[in-house]
Amino acid sequence: MPALAASTMISSCTIVALVLLSSNGSGITFVSASAGVHAEDTIVSSQANAIQETSYCGERGWDQVWADEFDGSTLDEKKWQITLGVNGGQLRDAYGTADNVYIEKGNLVLRSKAEKMNGMNWTSGAVTSKGKGFWSHGRLCVSAILPGNGPNASKGIWPAHWMMPNDTSCWPDHGEIDIMEMINGDGYSHGTYHWSKDYPAKKCMSDGGNTAIGGQVEMASTWDSAFNEYAVEYDLRGEGYVAFVVNSKVLINITKSSTPKKSNLHPEFIDTTFYAILNTAVGGPWPGQPNAQTQFPTYHRIDYVRVAQRA
């Protein structure tokens, strides 16, 4: 297993589940980690800590190679582009608008509103670094206060920090790195790596080839009022690995041996570069659509995005 620079156990949140997800003809099949995920691939503990204290991207032995601290008055267009209009991957059932993306008090804010526009019932904000910032290895760290008003008032709210290949490949041929996803304000952060079980023999299989492995973790109750750092450490060269990290504590380190052997669905890593995506989706198949109790507007506040590579 590749040696991670931080071998500390996760103490910022409570580990809940580690699952293998494999798409088949009838949908998604969940396989428990107890079916054979190697113990050395998960570094976990059960104690919780409130909020982030230091940045995983600032540890000794790592050099910062890219960052946005959002200290200006407007979004830096040399680093980001706003996602506008209809985008099923980033916004789901919301319409992307520029006025939902703005800088306020040193934070990037992605706002979601109950607002009818172009046949849709909600608007929201999303940005990507596609074509502007992309990397094949390193650490990407996002400090954020997530949107939501608790599980009884956040139905349909789906914030995410994730990465996609900066190339023209079909999904999920070259993979997908989901650093953080939370649905319905339930307080659980999900980290997931996707790949295609059919690639390269078959290309562009979409959901038919989609396979994934990841973990979920229960955050401290201040996830919607205090900054937490959601990060990934990854190297897609050679053997490859993807490790998800919360507040500098490793949740799971995914390698080619992380999948239960009897499934024969071992993770694959393609040597390519990935760009960053920050968004709040509204609706979609996982959380479902907002209901009468969902409180709008919601605010996804991001203090910084940092990228570091080994010195």
Side-chain angles (χ1 to χ4, degrees), residues 199-248:
Y199 186 83
K202 297 179 181 179
K203 300 179 181 180
C204 301
M205 296 298 290
S206 190
D207 285 331
N210 178 35
T211 311
I213 188 170
Q216 69 176 29
V217 58
E218 184 176 10
M219 301 298 298
S221 61
T222 53
W223 58 266
D224 59 349
S225 60
F227 285 101
N228 288 274
E229 187 183 74
Y230 306 91
V232 65
E233 179 180 329
Y234 69 103
D235 194 335
L236 303 176
R237 306 166 300 176
E239 283 297 304
Y241 70 97
V242 175
F244 295 109
V245 181
V246 178
N247 293 336
S248 297

Coordinates of all heavy atoms in Angstrom, one line a residue, residues 199-248:
Y199 N -13.6 -0.8 -18.9 CA -12.5 -0.1 -19.6 C -11.2 -0.8 -19.4 O -10.9 -1.3 -18.3 CB -12.5 1.3 -19.1 CG -11.5 2.2 -19.8 CD1 -11.9 2.9 -21.0 CD2 -10.2 2.4 -19.4 CE1 -11.0 3.7 -21.7 CE2 -9.3 3.2 -20.1 CZ -9.8 3.8 -21.2 OH -8.9 4.6 -22.0
P200 N -10.4 -0.9 -20.5 CA -10.5 -0.3 -21.8 C -11.1 -1.3 -22.9 O -11.2 -0.8 -24.0 CB -9.0 -0.1 -22.2 CG -8.3 -1.2 -21.5 CD -9.0 -1.5 -20.2
A201 N -11.5 -2.5 -22.5 CA -12.1 -3.4 -23.5 C -13.4 -2.7 -24.1 O -13.6 -2.9 -25.3 CB -12.5 -4.7 -22.8
K202 N -14.2 -2.1 -23.2 CA -15.4 -1.4 -23.7 C -15.3 0.0 -23.2 O -15.0 0.3 -22.0 CB -16.6 -2.1 -23.1 CG -16.8 -3.5 -23.6 CD -18.1 -4.1 -23.1 CE -18.3 -5.6 -23.5 NZ -19.5 -6.2 -22.9
K203 N -15.6 1.0 -24.0 CA -15.6 2.4 -23.7 C -17.0 3.0 -23.6 O -17.9 2.5 -24.3 CB -14.7 3.1 -24.6 CG -13.3 2.6 -24.7 CD -12.4 3.4 -25.7 CE -11.0 2.9 -25.7 NZ -10.2 3.6 -26.7
C204 N -17.1 4.0 -22.9 CA -18.3 4.8 -22.8 C -19.6 4.0 -22.4 O -20.6 4.1 -23.0 CB -18.6 5.5 -24.2 SG -17.3 6.6 -24.8
M205 N -19.4 3.2 -21.4 CA -20.4 2.3 -20.9 C -21.3 3.0 -19.9 O -22.3 2.5 -19.4 CB -19.9 1.0 -20.2 CG -19.1 0.2 -21.3 SD -20.2 -0.4 -22.6 CE -21.2 -1.6 -21.6
S206 N -21.0 4.2 -19.4 CA -21.8 5.0 -18.5 C -22.1 4.2 -17.3 O -21.3 3.5 -16.7 CB -23.0 5.5 -19.2 OG -23.7 6.5 -18.4
D207 N -23.4 4.2 -16.8 CA -23.8 3.5 -15.6 C -23.5 2.0 -15.7 O -23.3 1.3 -14.7 CB -25.3 3.8 -15.3 CG -25.5 5.2 -14.7 OD1 -24.6 5.7 -14.1 OD2 -26.6 5.7 -14.9
G208 N -23.6 1.5 -16.9 CA -23.4 0.1 -17.1 C -22.0 -0.4 -16.6 O -21.8 -1.5 -16.2
G209 N -21.0 0.5 -16.7 CA -19.6 0.2 -16.3 C -19.2 0.7 -15.0 O -18.2 0.4 -14.4
N210 N -20.0 1.6 -14.5 CA -19.7 2.4 -13.2 C -19.5 1.4 -12.1 O -20.4 0.7 -11.7 CB -20.8 3.4 -12.9 CG -20.4 4.2 -11.6 OD1 -19.3 4.4 -11.3 ND2 -21.5 4.5 -10.9
T211 N -18.3 1.5 -11.4 CA -18.1 0.8 -10.2 C -17.4 1.7 -9.2 O -16.7 2.6 -9.7 CB -17.1 -0.4 -10.5 OG1 -17.6 -1.1 -11.6 CG2 -17.0 -1.3 -9.3
A212 N -17.6 1.6 -8.0 CA -17.1 2.6 -7.0 C -16.8 2.0 -5.7 O -17.4 1.0 -5.3 CB -18.1 3.8 -6.9
I213 N -15.9 2.6 -5.0 CA -15.6 2.2 -3.6 C -15.4 3.4 -2.8 O -14.8 4.4 -3.3 CB -14.4 1.2 -3.5 CG1 -14.3 0.7 -2.1 CG2 -13.1 1.9 -4.0 CD1 -13.3 -0.5 -2.0
G214 N -15.8 3.5 -1.5 CA -15.6 4.7 -0.7 C -16.1 4.5 0.7 O -16.3 3.4 1.1
G215 N -16.1 5.6 1.4 CA -16.5 5.5 2.8 C -17.4 6.7 3.2 O -17.5 7.7 2.4
Q216 N -18.1 6.6 4.3 CA -18.9 7.7 4.7 C -18.6 7.9 6.2 O -18.2 7.0 6.9 CB -20.4 7.5 4.5 CG -21.0 6.4 5.4 CD -22.5 6.3 5.2 OE1 -23.0 6.6 4.1 NE2 -23.2 5.9 6.2
V217 N -18.7 9.2 6.6 CA -18.3 9.5 8.0 C -19.2 10.6 8.6 O -19.7 11.4 7.8 CB -16.8 10.0 8.0 CG1 -16.7 11.2 7.1 CG2 -16.3 10.3 9.3
E218 N -19.6 10.4 9.8 CA -20.5 11.3 10.5 C -19.7 12.5 11.0 O -18.8 12.4 11.8 CB -21.3 10.7 11.6 CG -22.3 11.6 12.2 CD -23.1 10.9 13.3 OE1 -22.8 9.8 13.7 OE2 -24.1 11.5 13.8
M219 N -20.0 13.7 10.6 CA -19.3 14.9 11.0 C -19.8 15.4 12.3 O -20.9 15.1 12.8 CB -19.5 16.0 9.9 CG -19.0 15.7 8.5 SD -17.3 15.3 8.5 CE -16.6 16.9 9.0
A220 N -19.0 16.3 12.9 CA -19.5 17.0 14.1 C -20.7 17.8 13.8 O -20.8 18.2 12.6 CB -18.4 17.8 14.7
S221 N -21.5 18.1 14.7 CA -22.8 18.8 14.4 C -22.6 20.2 13.9 O -23.6 20.8 13.4 CB -23.7 18.9 15.7 OG -23.0 19.6 16.7
T222 N -21.4 20.8 13.9 CA -21.1 22.1 13.5 C -20.7 22.2 12.0 O -20.2 23.2 11.5 CB -20.0 22.8 14.3 OG1 -18.9 21.9 14.3 CG2 -20.5 23.0 15.7
W223 N -21.0 21.1 11.3 CA -20.6 21.1 9.8 C -21.2 22.2 9.0 O -20.7 22.6 8.0 CB -21.0 19.7 9.2 CG -22.4 19.4 9.3 CD1 -23.0 18.6 10.2 CD2 -23.5 19.8 8.4 NE1 -24.4 18.5 10.0 CE2 -24.7 19.2 8.9 CE3 -23.5 20.5 7.2 CZ2 -25.9 19.4 8.2 CZ3 -24.7 20.7 6.6 CH2 -25.9 20.2 7.1
D224 N -22.4 22.7 9.5 CA -23.1 23.8 8.7 C -22.8 25.2 9.3 O -23.4 26.2 8.9 CB -24.6 23.5 8.7 CG -25.2 23.4 10.1 OD1 -24.5 23.4 11.1 OD2 -26.5 23.4 10.1
S225 N -21.9 25.3 10.3 CA -21.6 26.6 10.9 C -20.1 26.8 11.1 O -19.7 28.0 11.4 CB -22.3 26.7 12.3 OG -21.9 25.7 13.2
A226 N -19.3 25.8 11.0 CA -17.9 25.9 11.2 C -17.1 25.3 10.0 O -17.6 24.4 9.4 CB -17.4 25.3 12.5
F227 N -15.9 25.8 9.7 CA -15.2 25.3 8.6 C -14.6 23.9 8.9 O -14.0 23.7 10.0 CB -14.1 26.2 8.2 CG -14.6 27.4 7.5 CD1 -14.7 28.7 8.1 CD2 -14.9 27.3 6.1 CE1 -15.2 29.8 7.4 CE2 -15.4 28.5 5.4 CZ -15.6 29.7 6.1
N228 N -14.7 23.0 8.0 CA -14.0 21.7 8.1 C -13.3 21.5 6.8 O -13.7 22.1 5.7 CB -15.0 20.5 8.2 CG -15.7 20.5 9.6 OD1 -15.1 19.9 10.5 ND2 -16.8 21.1 9.8
E229 N -12.2 20.8 6.8 CA -11.4 20.6 5.6 C -11.6 19.2 5.0 O -11.4 18.2 5.7 CB -9.9 20.8 5.9 CG -9.1 20.7 4.6 CD -7.6 20.9 4.8 OE1 -7.0 19.9 5.3 OE2 -7.0 22.0 4.5
Y230 N -12.1 19.2 3.8 CA -12.3 17.9 3.1 C -11.3 17.8 2.0 O -11.1 18.7 1.2 CB -13.7 17.9 2.4 CG -14.8 18.2 3.4 CD1 -15.2 19.5 3.7 CD2 -15.4 17.2 4.2 CE1 -16.2 19.8 4.6 CE2 -16.4 17.5 5.1 CZ -16.8 18.8 5.3 OH -17.8 19.0 6.2
A231 N -10.5 16.7 2.0 CA -9.3 16.6 1.1 C -9.2 15.2 0.5 O -9.8 14.2 0.9 CB -8.1 16.9 2.0
V232 N -8.4 15.2 -0.5 CA -8.0 13.9 -1.1 C -6.5 13.9 -1.4 O -5.9 15.0 -1.7 CB -8.7 13.7 -2.5 CG1 -8.4 14.7 -3.5 CG2 -8.5 12.3 -3.0
E233 N -5.9 12.8 -1.2 CA -4.5 12.6 -1.6 C -4.5 11.5 -2.6 O -5.1 10.4 -2.4 CB -3.6 12.2 -0.4 CG -2.1 12.0 -0.9 CD -1.2 11.6 0.3 OE1 -1.5 12.0 1.4 OE2 -0.3 10.8 0.1
Y234 N -3.9 11.7 -3.8 CA -4.0 10.8 -4.9 C -2.8 10.8 -5.8 O -2.1 11.8 -5.9 CB -5.3 11.0 -5.7 CG -5.2 12.3 -6.5 CD1 -5.0 12.2 -7.9 CD2 -5.4 13.5 -6.0 CE1 -4.9 13.4 -8.7 CE2 -5.4 14.7 -6.7 CZ -5.1 14.6 -8.1 OH -5.1 15.7 -8.9
D235 N -2.5 9.7 -6.4 CA -1.5 9.6 -7.4 C -2.0 8.6 -8.4 O -2.2 7.4 -8.1 CB -0.2 9.1 -6.8 CG 1.0 9.3 -7.7 OD1 0.8 9.3 -9.0 OD2 2.1 9.4 -7.3
L236 N -2.3 9.0 -9.6 CA -2.8 8.1 -10.7 C -1.7 7.5 -11.6 O -2.1 6.9 -12.5 CB -3.8 8.9 -11.5 CG -5.0 9.6 -10.6 CD1 -5.9 10.4 -11.5 CD2 -5.8 8.5 -9.9
R237 N -0.5 7.8 -11.2 CA 0.6 7.2 -12.0 C 1.0 5.8 -11.4 O 0.8 5.6 -10.2 CB 1.8 8.1 -11.9 CG 1.5 9.6 -12.4 CD 2.6 10.5 -12.0 NE 2.8 10.6 -10.6 CZ 3.8 11.3 -10.0 NH1 4.6 12.0 -10.7 NH2 3.9 11.3 -8.7
G238 N 1.5 5.0 -12.2 CA 1.9 3.7 -11.7 C 0.8 2.9 -11.1 O -0.3 2.8 -11.7
E239 N 1.1 2.3 -9.9 CA 0.0 1.5 -9.3 C -1.2 2.3 -8.9 O -2.3 1.9 -8.9 CB 0.6 0.8 -8.0 CG 1.5 -0.4 -8.4 CD 0.7 -1.5 -9.0 OE1 -0.3 -1.9 -8.5 OE2 1.1 -1.9 -10.2
G240 N -0.9 3.5 -8.4 CA -2.0 4.5 -8.1 C -2.7 4.2 -6.7 O -2.7 3.1 -6.2
Y241 N -3.2 5.3 -6.2 CA -4.0 5.2 -5.0 C -4.8 6.5 -4.8 O -4.5 7.5 -5.4 CB -3.2 5.0 -3.7 CG -2.3 6.2 -3.3 CD1 -2.8 7.1 -2.3 CD2 -1.1 6.4 -3.9 CE1 -2.0 8.1 -1.9 CE2 -0.3 7.5 -3.5 CZ -0.7 8.3 -2.5 OH 0.0 9.4 -2.2
V242 N -5.9 6.4 -4.1 CA -6.7 7.6 -3.8 C -7.1 7.5 -2.3 O -7.7 6.5 -1.9 CB -8.0 7.7 -4.6 CG1 -8.9 8.8 -4.2 CG2 -7.7 7.8 -6.1
A243 N -6.8 8.5 -1.5 CA -7.1 8.5 -0.1 C -8.0 9.7 0.3 O -7.6 10.8 -0.1 CB -5.8 8.5 0.7
F244 N -9.1 9.5 0.9 CA -9.9 10.5 1.4 C -9.6 10.9 2.8 O -9.4 10.0 3.7 CB -11.4 10.1 1.2 CG -11.8 9.9 -0.2 CD1 -12.0 8.6 -0.7 CD2 -11.8 11.0 -1.1 CE1 -12.3 8.4 -2.1 CE2 -12.1 10.8 -2.5 CZ -12.4 9.5 -2.9
V245 N -9.7 12.2 3.1 CA -9.2 12.8 4.3 C -10.1 13.8 4.8 O -10.6 14.7 4.0 CB -7.8 13.4 4.1 CG1 -7.2 13.9 5.4 CG2 -6.8 12.4 3.5
V246 N -10.4 13.8 6.1 CA -11.3 14.9 6.7 C -10.5 15.5 7.9 O -10.1 14.7 8.8 CB -12.6 14.3 7.2 CG1 -13.4 15.4 7.9 CG2 -13.4 13.7 6.0
N247 N -10.3 16.8 7.9 CA -9.6 17.5 8.9 C -8.2 16.8 9.3 O -7.9 16.5 10.4 CB -10.4 17.6 10.2 CG -11.6 18.5 10.0 OD1 -11.6 19.4 9.1 ND2 -12.7 18.3 10.8
S248 N -7.5 16.5 8.2 CA -6.1 15.9 8.2 C -6.1 14.5 8.7 O -5.0 13.9 9.0 CB -5.2 16.8 9.1 OG -5.0 18.0 8.5

